[in-house]
Amino acid sequence: MNNLTSLNSIGEFGLIEEIKRAVSLKNPSTIVGIGDDAAVIEPGKKRIVVSTDMLVEGVHFDLTFCPLKHLGYKAVAVNVSDIAAMNATPTQITVSLAVGARYSVEAVKELYEGMQIACENYKVDLVGGDTTSSNSGLIISITAIGEADPETITLRSTAGENDLVCVTGDLGGAFLGLQVLEREKQAFLVNPDMQPELENKEYVVQRQLRPEARMDVIHELRELGVKPTSMIDISDGLASELMHICQQSGKGAVIFQDKLPADPQMLDTAEEFKIDPVTCILNGGEDYELLFTVKLSDYDKIKNHPDITIIGKITAKEEGLKLVTPSGNAFPLKAQGWQHFQE
Ligand code: ADP
Ligand code: MG
């Protein structure tokens, strides 16, 4: 099976050459890309926003079930999601890789193919990075650069009392997709001849393996003339992201359980795994949807948007964070993000 090219045979410079060849530049603000000591970007009159995210094999992804192409796509998407959450437009990324000797040139190319597809979709240029070897697994660190007019940048700390709390898309799917993939992995380890059972799980699995950054909604909000009063992307789970907005804005919030957006396949899968779907929605994480607040006066502009759900409102700080159940009882909302450091 070994027709693969070892990384050693082409070396770091050979690999960078391959990467450079696969990359094309589109943004007028990109002056110099891969190949010099640093990239050159022309910011014009805009403000620049910068964000970095690191993905570590065995912590953030498992290559037994995550195809490298999807991983490349996801690595870019999660970074673009942070730029989207600032209400900015992504323009460039840099990609740093620590890669073990067991990886082939073909494997790295597959990873970059996925990144390149994401770069096309989100209209960003891959302008540089760093490459080093790793004694353990694969580490991908991406820095995303974006631009925005000073007045459009949206922070976590500026939610106002009585603002509407909104989310994009549906939640909880990515977490359940991971449960499905873990189950199939265990079954495969017991019997390598078995075929994975992914029927009626396509959507949740896709939510886990190939999430999208909601740049589409960012553009649509602009067209509607709506500037969110605060925003964050949902990487750790709705509850903890709402807590960030409330803490940083010095406010409270109330959200309604029967308003939380759920996909039917997410609900079916939760039932199959005997996990409370509300917990998946509140604490699941990795959905990369946007959580944002808007002024009450913008209600008419967003009320019919198919990808936006109003789930509650911002209250005074003293009210705390509350979840109202369908029967009308209010419970304090507990936020538990992913705890990578807890074993
Ligand atoms: P230096 O030794 O000056 O850091 P490098 O040899 O690391 O230079 O990088 C040369 C060029 O290749 C730079 O433009 C750098 O941004 C780019 N580059 C290096 N590694 C990667 C990578 N993994 N992905 C994209 N570009 C890369
Ligand atoms: Mg370098």
Side-chain angles (χ1 to χ4, degrees), residues 248-314:
Q248 296 191 29
S249 298
K251 297 286 183 289
V254 54
I255 60 171
F256 298 90
Q257 190 181 315
D258 56 7
K259 297 271 195 275
L260 300 176
D263 178 85
Q265 194 174 92
M266 186 282 285
L267 294 171
D268 287 348
T269 312
E271 197 181 340
E272 191 181 323
F273 279 79
K274 301 192 169 49
I275 308 176
D276 177 12
V278 180
T279 305
C280 297
I281 292 176
L282 293 175
N283 299 312
E286 286 207 284
D287 288 311
Y288 296 101
E289 296 294 339
L290 294 169
L291 168 67
F292 60 96
T293 55
V294 299
K295 289 218 166 67
L296 206 50
S297 54
D298 282 329
Y299 172 73
D300 281 335
K301 293 186 192 159
I302 58 161
K303 67 177 183 202
N304 292 325
H305 194 295
D307 289 329
I308 298 175
T309 310
I310 301 168
I311 59 167
K313 67 168 189 171
I314 298 292

Side-chain angles (χ1 to χ4, degrees), residues 12-13 16 19 34-37 95 97 112 126 128-131:
E12 185 190 332
F13 295 143
I16 293 173
I19 293 169
I34 296 175
D36 216 305
D37 294 306
V95 179
L97 289 185
Y112 270 82
L126 203 167
D130 200 21
T131 313

Side-chain angles (χ1 to χ4, degrees), residues 4-303:
L4 298 176
T5 322
S6 74
L7 281 174
N8 276 340
S9 69
I10 68 163
E12 185 190 332
F13 295 143
L15 182 64
I16 293 173
E17 238 354 272
E18 293 271 357
I19 293 169
K20 186 179 172 184
R21 213 171 315 143
V23 161
S24 64
L25 303 177
K26 300 164 285 293
N27 273 305
S29 62
T30 309
I31 311 296
V32 176
I34 296 175
D36 216 305
D37 294 306
V40 181
I41 296 164
E42 165 70 69
K45 288 204 165 57
K46 307 270 187 179
R47 269 198 191 153
I48 300 293
V49 295
V50 181
S51 174
T52 300
D53 247 314
M54 183 146 56
L55 295 176
V56 177
E57 184 175 352
V59 179
H60 302 99
F61 59 90
D62 183 335
L63 287 174
T64 6
F65 51 67
C66 184
L68 281 160
K69 207 162 157 182
H70 282 16
L71 180 63
Y73 192 95
K74 179 171 178 173
V76 174
V78 304
N79 275 277
V80 167
S81 180
D82 279 319
I83 302 294
M86 300 299 289
N87 202 16
T89 305
T91 47
Q92 288 88 15
I93 58 168
T94 63
V95 179
S96 296
L97 289 185
V99 48
R102 71 185 163 95
Y103 284 84
S104 62
V105 173
E106 287 78 5
V108 176
K109 275 190 176 168
E110 218 181 297
L111 181 74
Y112 270 82
E113 252 175 64
M115 291 199 270
Q116 202 43 44
I117 295 171
C119 284
E120 303 267 331
N121 283 0
Y122 300 118
K123 301 188 175 61
V124 304
D125 294 335
L126 203 167
V127 296
D130 200 21
T131 313
T132 180
S133 57
S134 158
N135 292 333
S136 50
L138 175 67
I139 300 175
I140 310 168
S141 174
I142 297 190
T143 295
I145 297 165
E147 56 179 40
D149 292 325
E151 60 278 9
T152 60
I153 289 178
T154 306
L155 306 179
R156 297 176 176 184
S157 55
T158 41
E161 213 171 313
N162 293 321
D163 286 354
L164 300 170
V165 177
C166 310
V167 289
T168 61
D170 54 77
L171 300 172
F175 173 76
L176 283 162
L178 183 59
Q179 307 314 307
V180 170
L181 289 165
E182 295 280 3
R183 178 180 72 185
E184 296 309 311
K185 179 185 171 183
Q186 293 313 322
F188 176 80
L189 292 176
V190 172
N191 174 12
D193 290 330
M194 68 146 280
Q195 290 296 310
E197 282 173 40
L198 298 176
E199 207 180 313
N200 297 324
K201 301 282 182 291
E202 298 84 356
Y203 180 69
V204 292
V205 165
Q206 175 225 316
R207 295 290 287 167
Q208 168 60 222
L209 292 181
R210 203 181 180 285
E212 291 286 359
R214 297 312 303 257
M215 278 312 298
D216 55 337
V217 175
I218 293 298
H219 292 302
E220 283 156 17
L221 286 173
R222 266 177 223 168
E223 277 158 30
L224 290 168
V226 176
K227 181 192 181 267
T229 53
S230 70
M231 185 150 54
I232 187 168
D233 71 323
I234 304 180
S235 51
D236 291 336
L238 175 63
S240 83
E241 314 302 0
L242 186 59
M243 188 196 69
H244 285 307
I245 285 193
C246 288
Q247 266 180 1
Q248 296 191 29
S249 298
K251 297 286 183 289
V254 54
I255 60 171
F256 298 90
Q257 190 181 315
D258 56 7
K259 297 271 195 275
L260 300 176
D263 178 85
Q265 194 174 92
M266 186 282 285
L267 294 171
D268 287 348
T269 312
E271 197 181 340
E272 191 181 323
F273 279 79
K274 301 192 169 49
I275 308 176
D276 177 12
V278 180
T279 305
C280 297
I281 292 176
L282 293 175
N283 299 312
E286 286 207 284
D287 288 311
Y288 296 101
E289 296 294 339
L290 294 169
L291 168 67
F292 60 96
T293 55
V294 299
K295 289 218 166 67
L296 206 50
S297 54
D298 282 329
Y299 172 73
D300 281 335
K301 293 186 192 159
I302 58 161
K303 67 177 183 202

